[in-house]
Amino acid sequence: MLTAGMGTADRIAELVTILVIFVLVLALTLFVTKWIAGYQKGQGVGNNIEIVETCPAGNGKFIQIIRLGETYVAVAVCKDSVTLLGTVPKEQLVFSKTGGGSAQRFKEFFRKAKEAYPDEESASGEKKAGEETDGEELPKEE
């Protein structure tokens, strides 16, 4: 690749070429990955089957409530098997009113954490010396 007889301009041109090729390969990888994800998402879209809730029940074991048409069933999902536990009447299920999945749960967790641990500025209403201000004077420390 790089030889001792090459000039500085040739080396810089080769480096730039390699960087451009690298960026193009990364961009191509990004677009292909997004295309495959969209294709697979389109394959699984249906109106009759939906996983309503999943609860871990051990190492690699889960209990799921699945909607099949208008029927709700509870299944145990293990590494190599899926076992029907029984049907669940819709009246016994409690549906969450907030959508958003894990993003909504994180937002709620973050809000609670912010309320539990307020920063010093909002708790005391004062700024520390040395902190950035919005043009207001800070009390001098003595």
Side-chain angles (χ1 to χ4, degrees):
M1 244 190 184
L2 295 176
T3 61
M6 294 180 93
T8 305
D10 291 337
R11 289 183 180 180
I12 291 174
E14 187 173 344
L15 177 64
V16 169
T17 304
I18 290 171
L19 288 174
V20 167
I21 291 171
F22 178 70
V23 168
L24 289 175
V25 168
L26 284 178
L28 180 66
T29 303
L30 174 73
F31 290 122
V32 168
T33 302
K34 288 191 177 277
W35 177 74
I36 289 174
Y39 176 76
Q40 288 180 342
K41 189 176 183 181
Q43 294 293 323
V45 172
N47 295 326
N48 294 312
I49 300 175
E50 176 188 11
I51 297 176
V52 177
E53 190 172 341
T54 301
C55 178
N59 191 14
K61 298 175 177 126
F62 300 92
I63 297 175
Q64 293 183 334
I65 297 176
I66 301 174
R67 180 183 59 82
L68 303 170
E70 293 296 319
T71 306
Y72 291 88
V73 295
V75 295
V77 180
C78 300
K79 180 181 176 185
D80 296 328
S81 66
V82 177
T83 306
L84 177 66
L85 299 176
T87 60
V88 181
K90 184 176 183 178
E91 298 80 32
Q92 291 184 354
L93 296 175
V94 178
F95 294 99
S96 174
K97 293 180 183 173
T98 60
S102 62
Q104 185 67 26
R105 289 191 299 260
F106 178 76
K107 208 181 271 188
E108 182 66 22
F109 171 76
F110 189 71
R111 185 188 59 76
K112 286 180 183 177
K114 191 173 179 182
E115 289 173 358
Y117 301 103
D119 60 351
E120 292 178 23
E121 180 183 329
S122 64
S124 65
E126 297 179 4
K127 293 183 184 265
K128 292 183 189 175
E131 282 187 9
E132 209 174 291
T133 64
D134 297 326
E136 62 186 55
E137 289 288 323
L138 288 177
K140 294 189 180 194
E141 292 183 11
E142 294 180 23

